Amino acid sequence: MPTTSRYARDVAVVAFAQSDHRRRSDELSEVEMVMPVLHQVLDQTGLKAGEIGFTCSGSSDYLAGRAFSFTMTLDGVGAWPPISESHVEMDGAWALYEAWVKIQTGEADTALVYSYGKSSPGSVRDVLTRQLDPYYLAPLWPDSVALAALQAQALIDAGETDEAALAAIAARSRTAAEANPHAQLRGGAVEQGDYQVRPLRTGDCPPIGDGVAAVVLAAGDTARRLCARPAWITGIDHRIEAHGLGLRDLTDSPSTRIAAEHAGVFDAPVDTAELHAPFSSQEVVLRKALRLDGDDVAVNPSGGALAANPVMAAGLIRIGEAAARIHRGESDRAVAHATSGPCLQQNLVAVLEGEPA
Amino acid sequence: MTAASPPEVLRAPLVVEFPFTRSLGPVQSAFLTGLRERVVLGVKTADGKVMVPPVEYDPVTAEEIRELVEVGATGTVTTWAWNGSPRPGQPLGTPFAWVLVRLDGADTAILHALDAPGPEAVRTGMRVRIRWAGERTGAITDIACFEPHDAEATEQATPHDGQFADAVTGIVAAARLDYTYSPGRSQTAYINALADRRTVGERCPSCHKVYVPPRGACPTCGVATTDQVEVGPAGTVTTYCIVNIKAKNLDIEVPYVYAHIALDGADLALHGRIGGIPYDQVRMGLRVEPVWTEGGRHPDHYRPTGEPDADYDAYKELI
Ligand SMILES: [Zn+2]
């Protein structure tokens, strides 16, 4: 049992699976894309869909333009007769948070969490403008790259980074992704390319693609039975900042810092950090907020969102990747982070720990 | 039978268009009406900070804030990003800079576009002023954009009562998103079969139910439905309703009957209109068959086959 737990129940990530992330998946409907990953994650635990206590998913209908698409993907978990389930119109990391709360209440001992994003049918840069304030922002159609570029320029003006440092983050991420068979963009030779919205170049931006991730959570002895080395969630918290970009200091992420404090990130060193930074410049902000300044922590060994960014799943993947490293014995204490909204507006931080061998 | 090779992916344009009508609170109403009158208003928080664009609640204390002030139409760029390829709907059609601008007298910044000849003409700290739109309606787009303006900051926020004649109380936010829809493996097979006037469902390999139209997965077993099964063409009305309201853009005389029809061999009823029989004679158990029209991509409606009605026990599980 983790000694640092501050919660009613000890809950762990006991399995993680993800699809290969690809630019397009025209030949598959959403449920056809999701189902193999659900089967893989359940197979890892030996559980059948009907044995799961609670199911929670995260997705956004706007990505593929299909109303209530999440109800169709529910077919893939065998949701009839009705099961105990819920959905968030958010990244799957927040679905995981809801599932974790459900287990804390004692109403479930296990949970299946999945999320997916099919960005290929639409133009995700434009689609994401629809999540913005409808009075002052959305009528201007400021796309996701433009908003990230404003943040990047603020960081450059503050002397916290420069274009060369951003390029190095992009290159390091894609080099790390060479070891990740699911990544969409890998190899250190990926070019930085031209400006998309200056100062961000193509290489500073995430690839656009379709993908799925799934996680199984379990409590206490159930977790031990299902997994040789569970990744215990010893802390988890999420915080949000003001919506208006002009109200925020874009070079800092107080919401990440406060969530990290509440999750206990700073109580002991971490050896791994999986950060949901879709843009290279956002890693700079997150490293500062999470105090990841040295080389002693493996930051985004999976390649991170710069290597694969299925919108609505990329945050859950960070938790899954961190947990998988603990499952494999490659990490003892990891921090996982997920973000939502423009310029890191909302942030979730989780600490995952493995028991000593 | 299972398809030997995956069929060609079907694609069709899909447009999602929605004009949201949104009401404005007292602060937003004053701000947007002010823009129409070429006056920029902000709000002053309890600790004296001036927020432009204004919010109705203090983001730190959550206190309601109503104290309006007028700020300048000139300001200072706090950060910027050069947009070499403007996208649909954005403020300018030619390359421009996105900017956050702190207007003179304000403590926070507003997002908009800056019309400048190139990125070398833009820097953080540069002075700019509002270029007003020629036609203003009370919207953020009443600011056409910002433009460079070399003058020192002088203005301070001054009190304003927020009163204007004919205040704007709402906005209509139009949005259009364009997609390319592709139906996926299972529905592609279904649609392709319809082109040959055949109805093909899929069988669950676990519970053996046949789903029509197929959705790709069995919702009971959570597994892929891979075996294709031709069903029908005839079927049984399991339940129905009488439609008395004429739908927009639908050229069908009311009243008519809309029914659930379990095609022979299917374990799930599909929907269809019943024709070829007076609406008040349609009944549960009625045997029907599809009627195709020239060039139609699915049955236009179903009509009675003339067979005796199906026994209730034969379809009661499918209602
Ligand atoms: Zn089945």
Side-chain angles (χ1 to χ4, degrees), chain B residues 204 206-208 211 218 220-221 223:
Chain B
C204 172
S206 175
C207 70
H208 308 298
Y211 292 95
C218 172
T220 301
C221 306
V223 298

Side-chain angles (χ1 to χ4, degrees), chain A residues 26 39 62 75 121 150 157, chain B residues 11 79 124 179-180 185 215 222:
Chain A
D26 295 359
H39 294 168
Y62 277 84
D75 285 355
L150 287 168
D157 288 335
Chain B
R11 290 186 182 85
T79 186
T124 297
Y179 300 89
T180 301
R185 179 199 60 77
R215 306 205 298 241

Side-chain angles (χ1 to χ4, degrees), chain B residues 233 261 263 270-275 288-291 299 301-304:
Chain B
I261 302 156
L263 296 179
L270 47 68
H271 316 234
R273 182 169 63 87
I274 306 297
V288 293
E289 63 188 7
V291 177
H301 65 276
Y302 291 78
R303 69 179 171 209

Side-chain angles (χ1 to χ4, degrees), chain B residues 3 7-8 17 22 68 81 126 141 158 182 187 201 213 243 246 252 310:
Chain B
E8 195 189 334
E17 223 168 350
R22 297 181 180 275
L68 294 167
M126 76 182 283
T141 44
T158 53
S182 53
Q187 290 181 43
V243 179
K246 201 167 165 63
I252 300 171

Side-chain angles (χ1 to χ4, degrees), chain B residues 19-298:
Chain B
F20 279 119
T21 303
R22 297 181 180 275
S23 55
L24 301 171
V27 169
Q28 288 173 319
S29 170
F31 175 69
L32 293 179
T33 308
L35 294 184
R36 192 189 66 199
E37 306 303 324
R38 301 203 282 189
V39 170
V40 186
L41 299 183
V43 282
K44 197 178 239 179
T45 63
D47 60 2
K49 212 170 152 189
V50 174
M51 305 178 107
V52 182
V55 294
E56 303 195 320
Y57 296 91
D58 188 312
V60 177
T61 65
E63 258 181 274
E64 188 173 291
I65 36 182
R66 292 290 180 268
E67 190 185 341
L68 294 167
V69 291
E70 182 177 351
V71 299
T74 52
T76 305
V77 170
T78 63
T79 186
W80 62 283
W82 185 257
N83 184 21
S85 309
R87 304 173 74 79
Q90 296 183 342
L92 294 169
T94 51
F96 66 89
W98 288 106
V99 281
L100 281 169
V101 174
R102 192 170 53 236
L103 291 169
D104 297 337
D107 295 298
T108 65
I110 185 169
L111 178 84
H112 222 292
L114 168 67
D115 189 6
E120 58 290 333
V122 186
R123 61 183 170 77
T124 297
M126 76 182 283
R127 297 282 299 157
V128 295
R129 72 174 168 203
I130 290 173
R131 180 190 297 164
W132 296 103
E135 212 170 290
R136 295 179 305 281
T137 58
I140 193 68
T141 44
D142 288 354
I143 298 175
C145 61
F146 283 91
E147 58 192 17
H149 176 67
D150 262 330
E152 289 302 306
T154 49
E155 286 190 68
Q156 292 301 311
T158 53
H160 195 287
D161 63 8
Q163 297 300 313
F164 299 96
D166 193 17
V168 176
T169 57
I171 59 166
V172 178
R176 174 188 166 125
L177 295 168
D178 285 82
Y179 300 89
T180 301
Y181 182 87
S182 53
R185 179 199 60 77
S186 157
Q187 290 181 43
T188 294
Y190 174 72
I191 293 168
N192 283 337
L194 282 179
D196 299 332
R197 299 194 172 184
R198 294 183 302 121
T199 301
V200 175
E202 287 189 347
R203 191 194 312 275
C204 172
S206 175
C207 70
H208 308 298
K209 271 193 173 170
V210 174
Y211 292 95
V212 185
R215 306 205 298 241
C218 172
T220 301
C221 306
V223 298
T225 53
T226 47
D227 298 337
Q228 292 176 6
V229 181
E230 185 166 346
V231 299
T236 302
V237 171
T238 63
T239 184
Y240 65 94
C241 65
I242 300 166
V243 179
N244 286 289
I245 298 169
K246 201 167 165 63
K248 204 175 162 187
N249 303 328
L250 197 61
D251 190 23
I252 300 171
E253 285 307 310
V254 292
Y256 66 87
V257 171
Y258 201 67
H260 272 190
I261 302 156
L263 296 179
D264 296 345
D267 292 299
L268 190 73
L270 47 68
H271 316 234
R273 182 169 63 87
I274 306 297
I277 177 174
Y279 72 91
D280 55 359
Q281 290 178 31
V282 174
R283 55 205 178 264
M284 290 169 70
L286 181 71
R287 295 284 296 158
V288 293
E289 63 188 7
V291 177
W292 298 83
T293 49
E294 189 59 38
R297 303 174 76 166
H298 51 82

